[in-house]
Amino acid sequence: MLERKRKRSILEWCDNHLGLIFILPAMAILGLLIIYPLYFNINMSLHKVNMINFKADEWEFVGLKNYIATFSDKTVLLSLLRTFVFMIVTVVGQVVLGMIGALTLNTQLKARGVFTVGVLIPMMMTPIAVGLFWRILLNRQWGLINYFLNCLGIESVAWLYETSSAYAAVCFVQIWWGVSFVILVLLGGLSSLPKEHFEAAEIDGASKWQSFIHITIPEMKSVLLTVIMLRAIDGFREFDVIYTLTQGGPGEATKVFSLHLYMTAFETHNFSMGAAQAIILTVITLILSSGLIKSLSESEADNG
Amino acid sequence: MVDLQIGKGRFRNLLAYLIGIILIFVLIGPPAYMVSMSLKTGRDLFSIPPKFIFTPTLDNYKEIFGSASFVRSIYNTIIISFTSTILTEIIGSMAAYSIAKFKTGGKPALYSVLIMRVLPSVVLGLPLFIMFSRIGLLDTLHGLILAYIGFLLPNTVWLMIPFFQGISRSIEDAARIDGCSNIRTFIDISLPLSRSGLIVTTVYNITGAWNHFYYALTLAPAKTRVLSVEASQYVGEYAVQWGTIAAISSVLIIPPAILIFFIQKHLVSGLSLGGVKG
């Protein structure tokens, strides 16, 4: 009797503290797989860790030496610059083309559903497959892109084997891949805009362009900001597509920061240097996402 | 819906259709062409002008499915995607419910989920590699499943929170008055009511795990290779085997595409409810 009562009170206690119990597994997983690795990473970046001693209990403490070495390395600074340019070019491309796509789909087209499904597919495509088939399409001799260019009377380009064209090609593929996500999110924003504003503007004699600039853009501000932030973060850390397209080549023409980090850590096995670069990438990501958090909390405040 | 067409009258509808068709052509054309390439062999692959009409063959698929390491990688990918998705759904919806209904952790909990969601796997791959190699989890199914849960979980929690918040308080209060315990309310009322959230996150998680590359590349490069790593190896080794590469890419992209096709209605509502996906 007493036994059962105790069992019951334990169950009751658990039920009353369900919020706490429900969050514990997630906290354990995230602590183990995100928080602790981050701490471990910071620790590694302050020591000397390489292929020989990475399993040892103690590492030689070197202070900020890894960070100083990273920032005085010209190849790192160049890859950072490359990454920033890549991020800006691809975000602008995706948002401009995505806006045009979303405005087009946001009409009373009968085939709207078909178009939307078509737009959805690239978004879910494996980045590795995207890299692989664009590699084939961009082939100098037999690629479809050069075939179309030849039809227009333009000479074939060795897209992935020349410094400037390879950089342009990775930017292009990133835009191609990301634009469908932008279209979808902007489409969601557009279809929830209040119709009355546009009617009022039309009565006042505003042109489509004017109502786009003065109503659509301001009304869509938070959606636009969010999508820009998300694509900027993704662009800054892009790895998969570039890895399969060019592996950073030719030379170092498309070696963005994440590829640089990967090669430092897993090809030259300089773990502590890789860790320092990972921390730098984390800090940049956090700076970029603080904008995201701000725009999200503002939109939350707007919603009351 | 807002009417934001360009141009006037019949012409503007035509223009919208035209842009729509170009859009579909540009977005669907390349992968469709690649699927068609996977059905070509020999001279058809390298003909100029490209052949759009040809006799399809399954030779490329026979070849890849004849390779033991390829079949193994498909097996690994399926096991890892499904296991990590199921575990993430359970742990993630519990945590989201806790944050949404009991306000556990308050605003800071919300923000830390958001921050963890944007942390790149390129950052965590290195420390996980060292940690896993110390405890013998490197190149194992368990290790990779664990790592995958780590990157799927923050996104799942983030997307599930608004679904639980959307359930009206009165329904749950009614259940409580009827003598339902908290846990019963969660299982019998809240979970079924957030069905479309569960569907959306499940699809995101399966495709996310199926598509993921970096952890698989760094944490399981040999014995436990998954499909995306297996596919990436073909670039260097068999650069001219276009038919094979096309077949592998098709195997990679077709399952997520089918999944998306069936749940697209849920997906669009999920996108607008759960904020946006990264």
PDB file of all heavy atoms in Angstrom, chain A residues 195-209:
ATOM      1  N   LYS A 195      -4.400  43.557 -49.078  1.00  0.00           N
ATOM      2  CA  LYS A 195      -4.740  43.946 -50.440  1.00  0.00           C
ATOM      3  C   LYS A 195      -5.161  45.415 -50.527  1.00  0.00           C
ATOM      4  O   LYS A 195      -4.933  46.070 -51.539  1.00  0.00           O
ATOM      5  CB  LYS A 195      -5.883  43.038 -50.936  1.00  0.00           C
ATOM      6  CG  LYS A 195      -5.979  42.956 -52.432  1.00  0.00           C
ATOM      7  CD  LYS A 195      -7.020  41.909 -52.835  1.00  0.00           C
ATOM      8  CE  LYS A 195      -7.198  41.924 -54.340  1.00  0.00           C
ATOM      9  NZ  LYS A 195      -8.118  40.905 -54.798  1.00  0.00           N
ATOM     10  N   GLU A 196      -5.751  45.925 -49.421  1.00  0.00           N
ATOM     11  CA  GLU A 196      -6.354  47.276 -49.459  1.00  0.00           C
ATOM     12  C   GLU A 196      -5.343  48.354 -49.860  1.00  0.00           C
ATOM     13  O   GLU A 196      -5.663  49.272 -50.619  1.00  0.00           O
ATOM     14  CB  GLU A 196      -6.958  47.644 -48.098  1.00  0.00           C
ATOM     15  CG  GLU A 196      -8.027  46.694 -47.604  1.00  0.00           C
ATOM     16  CD  GLU A 196      -7.445  45.428 -46.992  1.00  0.00           C
ATOM     17  OE1 GLU A 196      -6.496  45.528 -46.205  1.00  0.00           O
ATOM     18  OE2 GLU A 196      -7.939  44.336 -47.325  1.00  0.00           O
ATOM     19  N   HIS A 197      -4.110  48.218 -49.327  1.00  0.00           N
ATOM     20  CA  HIS A 197      -3.089  49.215 -49.639  1.00  0.00           C
ATOM     21  C   HIS A 197      -2.907  49.373 -51.140  1.00  0.00           C
ATOM     22  O   HIS A 197      -2.789  50.472 -51.663  1.00  0.00           O
ATOM     23  CB  HIS A 197      -1.741  48.810 -49.032  1.00  0.00           C
ATOM     24  CG  HIS A 197      -1.747  48.810 -47.534  1.00  0.00           C
ATOM     25  ND1 HIS A 197      -2.411  49.750 -46.806  1.00  0.00           N
ATOM     26  CD2 HIS A 197      -1.161  47.986 -46.637  1.00  0.00           C
ATOM     27  CE1 HIS A 197      -2.249  49.501 -45.516  1.00  0.00           C
ATOM     28  NE2 HIS A 197      -1.496  48.425 -45.392  1.00  0.00           N
ATOM     29  N   PHE A 198      -2.878  48.222 -51.824  1.00  0.00           N
ATOM     30  CA  PHE A 198      -2.613  48.266 -53.260  1.00  0.00           C
ATOM     31  C   PHE A 198      -3.783  48.884 -54.006  1.00  0.00           C
ATOM     32  O   PHE A 198      -3.608  49.653 -54.933  1.00  0.00           O
ATOM     33  CB  PHE A 198      -2.335  46.852 -53.785  1.00  0.00           C
ATOM     34  CG  PHE A 198      -1.043  46.305 -53.278  1.00  0.00           C
ATOM     35  CD1 PHE A 198      -1.019  45.493 -52.163  1.00  0.00           C
ATOM     36  CD2 PHE A 198       0.148  46.635 -53.902  1.00  0.00           C
ATOM     37  CE1 PHE A 198       0.179  44.998 -51.681  1.00  0.00           C
ATOM     38  CE2 PHE A 198       1.353  46.139 -53.429  1.00  0.00           C
ATOM     39  CZ  PHE A 198       1.363  45.324 -52.307  1.00  0.00           C
ATOM     40  N   GLU A 199      -5.006  48.553 -53.531  1.00  0.00           N
ATOM     41  CA  GLU A 199      -6.189  49.142 -54.171  1.00  0.00           C
ATOM     42  C   GLU A 199      -6.190  50.646 -53.990  1.00  0.00           C
ATOM     43  O   GLU A 199      -6.430  51.397 -54.944  1.00  0.00           O
ATOM     44  CB  GLU A 199      -7.460  48.522 -53.582  1.00  0.00           C
ATOM     45  CG  GLU A 199      -7.738  47.141 -54.172  1.00  0.00           C
ATOM     46  CD  GLU A 199      -8.714  46.334 -53.347  1.00  0.00           C
ATOM     47  OE1 GLU A 199      -9.145  46.818 -52.277  1.00  0.00           O
ATOM     48  OE2 GLU A 199      -9.048  45.215 -53.789  1.00  0.00           O
ATOM     49  N   ALA A 200      -5.887  51.080 -52.757  1.00  0.00           N
ATOM     50  CA  ALA A 200      -5.849  52.523 -52.476  1.00  0.00           C
ATOM     51  C   ALA A 200      -4.816  53.204 -53.361  1.00  0.00           C
ATOM     52  O   ALA A 200      -5.070  54.269 -53.937  1.00  0.00           O
ATOM     53  CB  ALA A 200      -5.514  52.750 -51.001  1.00  0.00           C
ATOM     54  N   ALA A 201      -3.642  52.552 -53.502  1.00  0.00           N
ATOM     55  CA  ALA A 201      -2.578  53.141 -54.312  1.00  0.00           C
ATOM     56  C   ALA A 201      -3.012  53.244 -55.765  1.00  0.00           C
ATOM     57  O   ALA A 201      -2.736  54.239 -56.447  1.00  0.00           O
ATOM     58  CB  ALA A 201      -1.313  52.298 -54.192  1.00  0.00           C
ATOM     59  N   GLU A 202      -3.742  52.211 -56.220  1.00  0.00           N
ATOM     60  CA  GLU A 202      -4.157  52.207 -57.620  1.00  0.00           C
ATOM     61  C   GLU A 202      -5.157  53.342 -57.893  1.00  0.00           C
ATOM     62  O   GLU A 202      -5.084  54.015 -58.908  1.00  0.00           O
ATOM     63  CB  GLU A 202      -4.782  50.853 -57.972  1.00  0.00           C
ATOM     64  CG  GLU A 202      -4.701  50.535 -59.458  1.00  0.00           C
ATOM     65  CD  GLU A 202      -5.051  49.084 -59.728  1.00  0.00           C
ATOM     66  OE1 GLU A 202      -4.731  48.223 -58.885  1.00  0.00           O
ATOM     67  OE2 GLU A 202      -5.672  48.816 -60.764  1.00  0.00           O
ATOM     68  N   ILE A 203      -6.069  53.542 -56.916  1.00  0.00           N
ATOM     69  CA  ILE A 203      -7.046  54.629 -57.057  1.00  0.00           C
ATOM     70  C   ILE A 203      -6.327  55.971 -57.106  1.00  0.00           C
ATOM     71  O   ILE A 203      -6.667  56.853 -57.877  1.00  0.00           O
ATOM     72  CB  ILE A 203      -8.065  54.579 -55.897  1.00  0.00           C
ATOM     73  CG1 ILE A 203      -8.941  53.336 -56.058  1.00  0.00           C
ATOM     74  CG2 ILE A 203      -8.923  55.836 -55.869  1.00  0.00           C
ATOM     75  CD1 ILE A 203      -9.698  52.948 -54.817  1.00  0.00           C
ATOM     76  N   ASP A 204      -5.263  56.089 -56.301  1.00  0.00           N
ATOM     77  CA  ASP A 204      -4.485  57.324 -56.300  1.00  0.00           C
ATOM     78  C   ASP A 204      -3.626  57.475 -57.546  1.00  0.00           C
ATOM     79  O   ASP A 204      -2.877  58.447 -57.666  1.00  0.00           O
ATOM     80  CB  ASP A 204      -3.572  57.390 -55.057  1.00  0.00           C
ATOM     81  CG  ASP A 204      -4.401  57.592 -53.791  1.00  0.00           C
ATOM     82  OD1 ASP A 204      -5.589  57.917 -53.937  1.00  0.00           O
ATOM     83  OD2 ASP A 204      -3.867  57.407 -52.691  1.00  0.00           O
ATOM     84  N   GLY A 205      -3.684  56.506 -58.427  1.00  0.00           N
ATOM     85  CA  GLY A 205      -2.958  56.618 -59.681  1.00  0.00           C
ATOM     86  C   GLY A 205      -1.505  56.206 -59.621  1.00  0.00           C
ATOM     87  O   GLY A 205      -0.703  56.614 -60.468  1.00  0.00           O
ATOM     88  N   ALA A 206      -1.157  55.393 -58.620  1.00  0.00           N
ATOM     89  CA  ALA A 206       0.239  54.939 -58.531  1.00  0.00           C
ATOM     90  C   ALA A 206       0.500  53.847 -59.566  1.00  0.00           C
ATOM     91  O   ALA A 206      -0.370  53.025 -59.846  1.00  0.00           O
ATOM     92  CB  ALA A 206       0.518  54.409 -57.133  1.00  0.00           C
ATOM     93  N   SER A 207       1.692  53.870 -60.131  1.00  0.00           N
ATOM     94  CA  SER A 207       2.039  52.820 -61.095  1.00  0.00           C
ATOM     95  C   SER A 207       2.411  51.552 -60.326  1.00  0.00           C
ATOM     96  O   SER A 207       2.603  51.580 -59.114  1.00  0.00           O
ATOM     97  CB  SER A 207       3.207  53.270 -61.965  1.00  0.00           C
ATOM     98  OG  SER A 207       4.374  53.338 -61.180  1.00  0.00           O
ATOM     99  N   LYS A 208       2.488  50.428 -61.050  1.00  0.00           N
ATOM    100  CA  LYS A 208       2.865  49.154 -60.410  1.00  0.00           C
ATOM    101  C   LYS A 208       4.223  49.284 -59.747  1.00  0.00           C
ATOM    102  O   LYS A 208       4.462  48.788 -58.655  1.00  0.00           O
ATOM    103  CB  LYS A 208       2.929  48.039 -61.460  1.00  0.00           C
ATOM    104  CG  LYS A 208       1.606  47.671 -62.032  1.00  0.00           C
ATOM    105  CD  LYS A 208       0.849  46.736 -61.107  1.00  0.00           C
ATOM    106  CE  LYS A 208      -0.539  46.485 -61.662  1.00  0.00           C
ATOM    107  NZ  LYS A 208      -1.472  46.043 -60.661  1.00  0.00           N
ATOM    108  N   TRP A 209       5.124  49.952 -60.449  1.00  0.00           N
ATOM    109  CA  TRP A 209       6.486  50.098 -59.943  1.00  0.00           C
ATOM    110  C   TRP A 209       6.491  50.898 -58.657  1.00  0.00           C
ATOM    111  O   TRP A 209       7.139  50.542 -57.683  1.00  0.00           O
ATOM    112  CB  TRP A 209       7.357  50.746 -61.016  1.00  0.00           C
ATOM    113  CG  TRP A 209       8.757  51.036 -60.557  1.00  0.00           C
ATOM    114  CD1 TRP A 209       9.313  52.249 -60.339  1.00  0.00           C
ATOM    115  CD2 TRP A 209       9.768  50.066 -60.246  1.00  0.00           C
ATOM    116  NE1 TRP A 209      10.602  52.112 -59.905  1.00  0.00           N
ATOM    117  CE2 TRP A 209      10.916  50.782 -59.847  1.00  0.00           C
ATOM    118  CE3 TRP A 209       9.817  48.659 -60.268  1.00  0.00           C
ATOM    119  CZ2 TRP A 209      12.094  50.148 -59.473  1.00  0.00           C
ATOM    120  CZ3 TRP A 209      10.994  48.036 -59.885  1.00  0.00           C
ATOM    121  CH2 TRP A 209      12.110  48.773 -59.506  1.00  0.00           C
TER     122      TRP A 209
END
